[in-house]
């Protein structure tokens, strides 16, 4: 335990009378960060009318800054470059908005003409499920509700007709003046136009004063740690800018073919649905599904048959497969750094906070939070909760799976690592350190005997699973090459030095040596008598495995015993290297009784190989 942490945690208890309410007894240690986070969320929600335009402006600045830099490298001054990029961007946004509005107005005028086809489809479904099935029940329920609504409407009409003897309500109509008509048309547009103008102005000034704003931000929040603040700004700008630009390219690559395909199929307002697909793909996972619903509905409404519906569904399915498996892997040079669950949760949160605008901006805003958590220790929980990087080291993940008695997932983890690394490397860097973690808990007394048995059993199962996979792979390789494996006549024996965890490390050593082509087997310490009776003369090397130096006394006794049982064999001691502890000096000086002392698979393999070469030389001389 770190003494500094102990002293710091004990300090409030010695602070005298102020250690009660003043010391915030009973509150979590990070309560100021929690309060600040809740306050920030409340401010963002209450003042969303102010923060939404600013957030849009910041994200557009991230997206347009690389384009401005490219134009400036061509020799254009900053101001003309910024004006040109912003003008082109907002002209494109305005044209896109005009297209969507015009297509929507045209679609609203065409909807009544599709009523007959929709009714025909409903009748066909009713006829298909007449008298039985779910469709008939749904149709009957809808008709019943319709009759009730009609009956209540007729009753209300009769009441109004019966009251005809009373006074009549008269409404005086006066035609509106042209100025009033113009005012009623312009008033709803003032808010969106003012917001758009504010965004344009803010984007222009942010691009013009980008370096100055960066320096001021560094001076404000990170002047004492210039390196970390600069790295955070660069990473946030790189991630968000690349995400927005690449996502726009991907969305256009998706939306334009969708619009052309819908136009060729015969869906009305194909340009509108292509534009909707471009916008909705900014929403992770659910966006493409939402953009597909309305074209499918129109396919049902436009045609009296079902062929059009199948063509539209096939079009969206093919485009999704192409975009997800070809275009996105090709265009994305780096990922956003968010886990899939974090993307969905952030979309829900930002939609609740800022509505549809927050839904579209959820991913880039969350990327900024992850970068903040990566470089600011107080907000590291953002990176832990939202990031896609593993939060546990591989050996800790493996140990956790062994504690949970889940050998299948532990096997899957090691098999994934074996796709890129050799078996001795995976055992030496991942599996053995996981056993060392378990042995530490055993020495500290925090692991009960049943837990020790659970971890040991699960680890043995993992080694057995990997051995079976390797044996089947080697058998296929030998059958394909039609040759027998070259193995020494005599073998190596791996023995656990003290605990059941040492026995598991001996199994891993035997498995690694077998993968290198040696005849190696593992024997538990309690089974040495049976092994001596069965294999009295074919053992050339015996390796005693220990997970910690504290058990060296037990290892010394075992080495002496093994020398009496196998006098012709080389008896060695393997003390696995603990990454968290200083390196132990190797060599027989550590234990004079041993023929060799090793700390890794490579050192044991070298000792076994040396013994094998010596015996082969003696056999050749004989």
């Amino acid at each position: 335990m770190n003494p500094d942490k102990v002293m710091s945690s004990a300090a409030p208890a010695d602070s005298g009378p102020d250690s009660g309410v003043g010391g915030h007894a009973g509150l979590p240690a990070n309560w100021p960060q929690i309060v600040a986070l809740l306050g920030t969320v409340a401010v963002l929600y209450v003042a969303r009318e102010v923060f939404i335009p600013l957030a849009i402006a910041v994200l557009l600045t991230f997206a347009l800054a690389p384009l401005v830099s490219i134009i400036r490298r061509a020799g254009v001054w900053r101001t003309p470059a910024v004006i040109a990029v912003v003008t082109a961007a907002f002209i494109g946004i305005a044209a896109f908005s005009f297209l969507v509005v015009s297509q929507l107005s045209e679609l609203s005028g065409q909807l009544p003409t599709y009523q007959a086809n929709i009714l025909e489809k409903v009748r066909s479904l009713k006829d298909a499920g007449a008298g039985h099935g779910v469709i008939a029940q749904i149709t009957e329920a809808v008709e019943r509700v319709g009759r009730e609504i009609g009956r209540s409407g007729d009753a209300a009409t009769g009441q109004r007709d019966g009251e005809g003897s009373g006074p009549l309500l008269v409404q005086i109509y006066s035609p509106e003046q042209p100025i009033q008509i113009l005012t009623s048309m312009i008033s709803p547009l003032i808010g969106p136009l003012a917001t758009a103008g504010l965004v344009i102005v803010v984007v222009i000034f942010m691009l013009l004063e980008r370096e100055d704003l960066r320096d001021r931000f560094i001076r404000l929040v990170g002047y004492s740690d210039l390196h970390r603040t600069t790295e955070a700004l660069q990473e946030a700008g790189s991630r968000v800018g690349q995400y927005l630009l690449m996502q726009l390219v991907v969305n256009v690559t998706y939306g334009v073919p969708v619009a052309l395909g819908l136009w060729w199929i015969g869906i009305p307002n194909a340009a509108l649905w292509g534009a909707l697909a471009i916008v909705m793909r900014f929403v992770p996972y659910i966006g493409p599904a939402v953009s597909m619903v309305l074209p499918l509905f129109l396919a049902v409404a436009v045609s009296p048959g079902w062929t059009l519906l199948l063509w539209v569904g096939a079009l969206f399915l093919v485009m999704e497969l192409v975009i997800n498996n070809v275009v996105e892997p090709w265009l994305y040079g780096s990922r956003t750094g968010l886990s899939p669950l974090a993307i969905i949760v952030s979309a829900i949160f930002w939609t609740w906070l800022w509505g549809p605008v927050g839904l579209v901006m959820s991913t880039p805003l969350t990327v900024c939070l992850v970068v903040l958590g990566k470089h600011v220790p107080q907000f590291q929980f953002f990176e832990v909760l939202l990031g896609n990087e593993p939060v546990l080291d591989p050996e800790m993940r493996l140990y956790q799976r062994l504690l949970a008695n889940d050998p299948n997932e532990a096997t899957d983890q090691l098999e994934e690592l074996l796709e890129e690394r050799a078996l001795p490397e995976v055992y030496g860097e991942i599996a053995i350190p996981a056993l060392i973690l378990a042995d530490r808990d055993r020495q500290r007394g925090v692991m009960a005997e049943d837990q020790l048995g659970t971890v040991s059993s699960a680890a043995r199962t993992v080694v057995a699973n990997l051995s079976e996979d390797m044996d089947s792979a080697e058998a296929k390789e030998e059958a394909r090459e039609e040759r027998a494996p070259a193995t020494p006549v005599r073998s190596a024996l791996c023995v656990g030095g003290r605990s059941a965890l040492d026995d598991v490390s001996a199994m891993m050593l035997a498995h690694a040596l077998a993968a290198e082509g040696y005849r190696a087997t593992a024997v538990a310490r309690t089974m040495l008598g049976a092994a001596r009776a069965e294999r009295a003369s074919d053992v050339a090397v015996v390796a005693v495995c220990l997970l910690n130096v504290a058990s060296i006394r037990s290892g010394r006794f075992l080495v002496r015993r093994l020398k009496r049982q196998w006098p012709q064999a080389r008896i060695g001691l393997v003390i696995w290297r603990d990454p968290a502890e200083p390196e132990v000096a190797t060599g027989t000086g550590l234990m004079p009784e041993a023929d060799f002392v090793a700390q890794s698979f490579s050192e044991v393999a070298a000792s076994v190989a040396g013994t094998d070469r010596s015996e082969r030389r003696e056999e050749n001389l004989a």
Side-chain angles (χ1 to χ4, degrees):
M1 182 178 295
N2 192 344
D4 295 336
K5 293 183 179 179
V6 175
M7 293 178 65
S8 62
S9 61
D14 300 333
S15 57
D18 296 332
S19 61
V21 178
H24 304 283
L27 293 177
N30 58 343
W31 71 268
Q33 287 82 6
I34 297 176
V35 173
L37 180 62
L38 294 177
T40 302
V41 172
V43 171
L44 290 175
Y45 181 79
V46 173
R48 57 185 178 274
E49 299 295 336
V50 176
F51 285 108
I52 288 178
L54 291 179
I56 296 174
V58 171
L59 294 180
L60 287 176
T61 302
F62 278 133
L64 299 180
L67 299 179
V68 174
S69 300
I70 293 174
I71 296 178
R72 289 200 63 197
R73 283 196 293 268
V76 181
W77 291 350
R78 176 185 297 275
T79 302
V82 170
I83 298 290
V85 170
V86 173
T87 301
F90 281 94
I91 286 177
I93 295 174
F96 181 85
S97 303
F98 176 78
L99 173 65
V100 172
V101 171
S102 61
Q103 292 288 311
L104 281 175
S105 61
E106 181 181 349
L107 176 64
S108 61
Q110 295 176 353
L111 283 179
T113 62
Y114 305 139
Q115 182 177 359
N117 289 331
I118 297 176
L119 294 177
E120 182 65 27
K121 294 285 176 54
V122 173
R123 293 192 189 98
S124 64
L125 291 175
K126 180 180 179 181
D127 295 338
H132 63 278
V134 179
I135 297 177
Q137 297 176 8
I138 295 176
T139 305
E140 183 180 356
V142 172
E143 290 179 350
R144 189 182 304 114
V145 173
R147 287 194 299 268
E148 293 296 330
I149 295 175
R151 186 180 298 114
S152 60
D154 294 340
T157 304
Q159 291 177 2
R160 287 195 299 267
D161 293 340
E163 295 172 356
S165 58
L168 297 177
L169 179 64
V170 178
Q171 181 178 3
I172 301 176
Y173 172 76
S174 60
E176 295 183 353
Q177 298 298 324
I179 188 66
Q180 296 176 342
I181 297 176
L182 184 62
T183 302
S184 63
M185 293 176 59
I186 294 178
S187 296
L189 300 177
I190 292 178
L193 291 177
T195 302
L198 176 63
V199 170
I200 294 174
V201 172
V202 173
V203 168
I204 291 176
F205 278 97
M206 281 187 172
L207 290 173
L208 288 175
E209 305 293 334
R210 185 175 53 168
E211 286 78 7
D212 182 66
L213 291 175
R214 178 198 60 201
D215 296 342
R216 293 179 183 275
F217 181 80
I218 291 174
R219 180 65 181 87
L220 180 64
V221 301
Y223 187 72
S224 59
D225 196 349
L226 188 62
H227 171 74
R228 176 179 294 178
T229 306
T230 303
E231 187 177 359
L233 287 175
Q234 290 179 344
E235 184 174 354
S238 175
R239 281 197 192 183
V240 175
Q242 185 178 21
Y243 167 77
L244 292 175
L245 287 178
M246 291 299 99
Q247 189 66 49
L248 178 61
V249 173
V250 170
N251 293 1
V252 172
T253 308
Y254 175 83
V256 172
V258 164
L260 294 176
L262 293 177
W263 171 79
W264 180 77
I265 292 173
I267 299 298
N269 308 99
L272 173 63
W273 311 126
L276 180 65
I278 292 175
V279 174
M280 291 307 298
R281 275 194 69 87
F282 279 104
V283 181
Y285 301 109
I286 63 175
V290 172
S291 65
M292 183 174 54
V293 171
L294 291 178
L296 290 174
F297 173 76
L298 276 182
V300 175
V302 169
S303 173
W306 299 96
T307 306
L308 210 61
L309 178 65
L310 298 178
W311 277 106
V312 173
L315 172 65
F316 278 95
L317 178 62
V318 170
M319 287 305 304
E320 282 295 324
L321 292 176
V322 172
I323 292 297
N324 293 334
N325 297 289
V326 178
V327 178
E328 286 186 348
W330 176 55
L331 286 179
Y332 284 158
S334 61
R335 302 168 62 183
T336 59
L338 302 178
S339 65
L341 180 61
I343 292 177
I344 297 175
V345 172
S346 65
I348 297 173
F349 171 76
W350 289 107
T351 303
W352 166 78
L353 195 65
W354 285 352
V357 178
L359 179 63
V360 175
M361 297 193 302
S362 60
T363 299
L365 289 174
T366 310
V367 167
C368 295
L369 293 180
V370 171
V371 174
L372 179 68
K374 181 178 179 180
H375 296 281
V376 180
Q378 291 82 355
F379 298 99
Q380 189 179 9
F381 63 91
F382 280 134
E383 185 186 16
V384 174
L385 294 177
L386 305 175
N388 64 344
E389 296 295 332
V391 296
L392 294 178
D393 294 332
E395 62 271 16
M396 296 185 68
R397 287 183 57 204
L398 180 61
Y399 178 38
Q400 193 274 332
R401 288 295 84 202
L402 296 179
L403 279 173
N405 195 17
D406 190 357
N408 294 327
E409 186 173 342
T411 303
D412 294 339
Q413 177 187 348
L414 294 184
E415 285 179 344
E416 291 178 1
L417 296 172
L418 285 173
E419 295 178 358
E420 301 177 355
R421 306 183 189 180
L423 181 65
E425 183 181 356
V426 171
Y427 274 156
E429 298 181 3
I430 309 298
I432 293 297
L435 295 180
I436 291 175
L437 291 175
D439 194 67
R440 284 185 200 161
D441 289 343
R442 180 189 64 83
Q443 293 181 74
R444 292 190 298 117
V446 298
M447 179 180 291
E449 288 297 327
D450 56 343
Q451 286 183 313
L452 179 61
T454 298
V455 172
S456 303
S457 175
R460 283 194 294 268
T461 304
V462 171
V463 177
N465 293 339
L466 295 179
S467 300
E468 292 177 0
D469 295 341
M470 181 169 294
D471 291 342
S472 60
E474 288 180 354
K476 294 179 181 178
E477 181 70 19
E478 292 169 8
R480 184 166 56 249
E481 298 182 3
E482 297 182 355
R483 64 177 178 84
T487 56
V489 177
R490 302 175 73 187
S491 64
L493 191 65
C494 304
V495 184
R498 182 177 182 179
S499 66
L501 297 174
D502 294 331
D503 293 338
V504 177
S505 69
M507 291 180 61
M508 294 180 179
L509 176 59
H511 188 199
L513 291 176
E516 297 295 325
Y518 298 99
R519 274 179 47 198
T521 55
V523 178
R525 180 174 181 173
T526 56
M527 301 297 294
L528 278 176
R532 174 72 179 92
E534 295 177 0
R535 306 174 59 184
S537 60
D538 68 336
V539 175
V541 177
V542 180
V544 178
C545 301
L546 295 174
L547 289 171
N548 62 83
V549 184
S551 302
I552 195 170
R553 184 176 180 181
S554 299
R556 179 178 291 111
F557 292 151
L558 184 57
V559 167
R560 293 172 181 172
R561 174 185 172 188
L562 293 173
K563 277 187 171 294
R564 291 192 298 268
Q565 291 182 346
W566 280 283
Q568 81 284 357
R570 298 182 71 226
I571 312 298
L573 182 67
V574 182
I575 304 177
W576 299 112
R577 182 179 293 115
D578 187 349
E581 298 293 337
E583 186 173 350
V584 180
T586 58
T588 56
L590 183 65
M591 181 181 288
E593 297 88 346
D595 296 317
F596 65 89
V597 177
Q599 285 190 288
S600 64
F601 287 96
S602 59
E603 295 176 2
V604 178
S607 300
V608 175
T611 304
D612 184 53
R613 285 194 298 269
S614 300
E615 293 188 353
R616 288 180 181 274
R617 191 181 307 113
E618 293 176 0
E619 292 176 0
N620 293 333
L621 291 175

